[in-house]
Amino acid sequence: MEKKKIGIIFGGNSPEHEVSLESAYSVITNINKEKYDITLIGITKEGNWYKYEGEIENIKNNTWEKEGKCTKTVISTNTEDKGIIELENNNKLVKLDAIFPVLHGSNGEDGTVQGLIKLSGIPLIGCDILSSSLCMDKHLSHKLVENYGIRVAKSVVINNKTSKSEIQEKLKQLKYPLFVKPMRAGSSFGITKVENENEIEGAIKEALEYDTEVIIEENVDGIEIGCAILGNDDLIVGEIDEIELSKGFFNYTEKYTLKSSKIHVPARIDKKTSDEAKEIAKNIYKILKCKDFARVDMFLTPKGEIYFNEINTIPGFTSHSRYPSMMKQIGLNFEQLLDKLISLEI
């Protein structure tokens, strides 16, 4: 049987560039090489696209730009091409059967790259333009989900032009502690937990470093749980996981070091609550029109109430990431997970 040609995009013009390199390394390492020919497409932090040929370790070590062969490349938007064009090699066309963007955050998970792939006519592995954009916007995704009767934290929205008096007036609607977050950023970049009004100005300034809009949410007492989902019409649901924190919140450092936190898979909750969380996660997945795969993050309160937190349309794919760990608990190892994911598109 002829191997399918899969383009894997990694890196990205995003604060989450390094995280993407780790995810892509795990995907490349675990994909079945007997079934798939891999074409590697790296995007630098500056936004330059290259076809990469070299040692996979260079991707993990973030030395791929210096130590491998990099050829300037673009995705052809001519739909009859269905491939990438090597600009430094007499415009050589490299055909692809599908593209898997293993990118996180802005300019990769927000619908931008998805739009480019859509124009190319190459099958896209993962969420499409609309769902990627919706899920990246914390306010819009919350309001849409809330409209279907699912609980979300109370919040207000400001931007880089909102006056101090307007901010103070909006904050009267909320109770401390609060979370101040960039509207469209991942991996907890720019997020601050604020205990009182003296801390709010600095937190807003921090969030505005990552976006022009900021969402300020009331804290939801309880634990954070997550649900991995795979599929389209028939959904495969991974085991619910739980984040155990010894202090603070699940910020960038904790997500990638677990210095003072621990992830339990399965979550330490009863079956009834776990089943309810899975049903809510599936509903959120459908409401936000997700495709192929995503991870839904929620809060579980001491009263047993479930609140929607956020959804990751390209969740972490490192060897220790939550999404593959949840799927492993239902019997899907990394290679099988990738195989099922690719099979949804080709």
Side-chain angles (χ1 to χ4, degrees):
M1 186 174 70
E2 186 179 354
K3 292 183 182 181
K4 294 293 184 180
K5 298 175 176 61
I6 309 297
I8 295 176
I9 307 179
F10 63 88
N13 179 14
S14 164
E16 298 178 65
H17 180 93
E18 286 80 8
V19 181
S20 169
L21 299 182
E22 287 194 46
S23 288
Y25 174 81
S26 293
V27 169
I28 297 161
T29 303
N30 286 281
I31 200 166
N32 187 338
K33 307 298 192 305
E34 293 181 4
K35 293 182 68 173
Y36 307 109
D37 272 333
I38 305 303
T39 297
L40 301 178
I41 305 159
I43 307 174
T44 68
K45 276 189 172 182
E46 296 74 30
N48 298 316
W49 292 54
Y50 296 97
K51 179 186 175 187
Y52 172 73
E53 297 170 278
E55 296 297 323
I56 305 305
E57 294 295 323
N58 295 336
I59 296 176
K60 182 180 181 181
N61 299 332
N62 198 10
T63 58
W64 66 277
E65 294 177 60
K66 298 176 182 177
E67 298 184 15
K69 180 184 176 184
C70 293
T71 307
K72 283 186 179 180
T73 294
V74 295
I75 294 178
S76 174
T77 52
N78 187 332
T79 56
E80 71 177 16
D81 288 345
K82 287 189 170 52
I84 60 172
I85 297 172
E86 297 181 21
L87 299 179
E88 298 175 19
N89 194 10
N90 295 320
N91 293 335
K92 177 185 174 184
L93 176 65
V94 179
K95 293 269 190 179
L96 297 173
D97 293 303
I99 291 185
F100 185 8
V102 188
L103 303 167
H104 303 306
S106 55
N107 300 313
E109 198 175 354
D110 56 5
T112 49
V113 167
Q114 288 74 16
L116 180 59
I117 297 169
K118 178 72 173 178
L119 289 174
S120 75
I122 303 168
L124 164 67
I125 297 169
C127 288
D128 62 16
I129 306 164
L130 177 59
S131 56
S132 297
S133 300
L134 268 178
C135 294
M136 196 71 176
D137 190 301
K138 296 177 177 66
H139 176 66
L140 290 179
S141 59
H142 275 205
K143 287 304 176 187
L144 191 54
V145 166
E146 185 180 32
N147 195 50
Y148 281 81
I150 296 170
R151 295 182 182 90
V152 298
K154 193 174 180 181
S155 66
V156 297
V157 174
I158 65 169
N159 59 42
N160 56 356
K161 295 180 181 178
T162 308
S163 67
K164 287 185 179 182
S165 61
E166 287 179 291
I167 293 172
Q168 290 173 351
E169 191 62 32
K170 282 177 177 269
L171 289 176
K172 288 179 182 179
Q173 305 172 45
L174 306 179
K175 295 178 182 178
Y176 289 90
L178 302 172
F179 279 94
V180 181
K181 307 177 179 180
M183 189 67 77
R184 294 166 290 269
S187 291
S188 297
F189 281 108
I191 296 180
T192 307
K193 186 176 184 180
V194 174
E195 300 291 344
N196 56 65
E197 62 184 27
N198 296 326
E199 300 171 356
I200 196 77
E201 187 175 344
I204 291 172
K205 184 179 179 181
E206 170 73 12
L208 286 171
E209 292 289 324
Y210 294 92
D211 199 353
T212 57
E213 282 190 297
V214 172
I215 186 169
I216 304 173
E217 300 176 351
E218 284 188 348
N219 176 61
V220 177
D221 287 325
I223 61 172
E224 185 171 346
I225 59 176
C227 183
I229 299 179
L230 173 71
N232 295 313
D233 297 326
D234 299 317
L235 301 182
I236 297 172
V237 182
E239 192 52 81
I240 297 290
D241 77 351
E242 170 199 350
I243 300 169
E244 180 186 3
L245 294 172
S246 60
K247 59 182 179 179
F249 67 99
F250 205 47
N251 59 19
Y252 179 83
T253 301
E254 285 302 325
K255 282 185 177 182
Y256 299 107
T257 65
L258 297 177
K259 283 184 177 180
S260 62
S261 57
K262 188 176 181 180
I263 297 177
H264 298 274
V265 192
R268 298 171 298 176
I269 58 179
D270 60 64
K271 184 178 185 302
K272 181 181 177 183
T273 305
S274 177
D275 289 344
E276 182 185 359
K278 289 175 184 177
E279 284 303 311
I280 290 174
K282 286 196 291 184
N283 285 338
I284 292 169
Y285 187 90
K286 293 173 183 176
I287 290 165
L288 296 175
K289 298 187 180 298
C290 292
K291 179 175 77 71
D292 295 348
F293 74 113
R295 191 191 75 227
V296 183
D297 293 341
M298 299 162 284
F299 295 115
L300 174 64
T301 72
K303 293 181 180 180
E305 297 171 329
I306 295 172
Y307 282 71
F308 170 52
N309 179 23
E310 65 178 6
I311 188 164
N312 288 266
T313 54
I314 309 180
F317 258 92
T318 68
S319 56
H320 56 270
S321 290
R322 297 169 64 195
Y323 187 94
S325 296
M326 286 187 268
M327 286 301 183
K328 186 177 180 180
Q329 283 293 312
I330 63 167
L332 280 180
N333 64 33
F334 215 135
E335 182 182 309
Q336 293 168 329
L337 171 59
L338 292 171
D339 202 32
K340 281 189 173 292
L341 184 54
I342 295 168
S343 70
L344 291 170
E345 294 301 328
I346 58 174

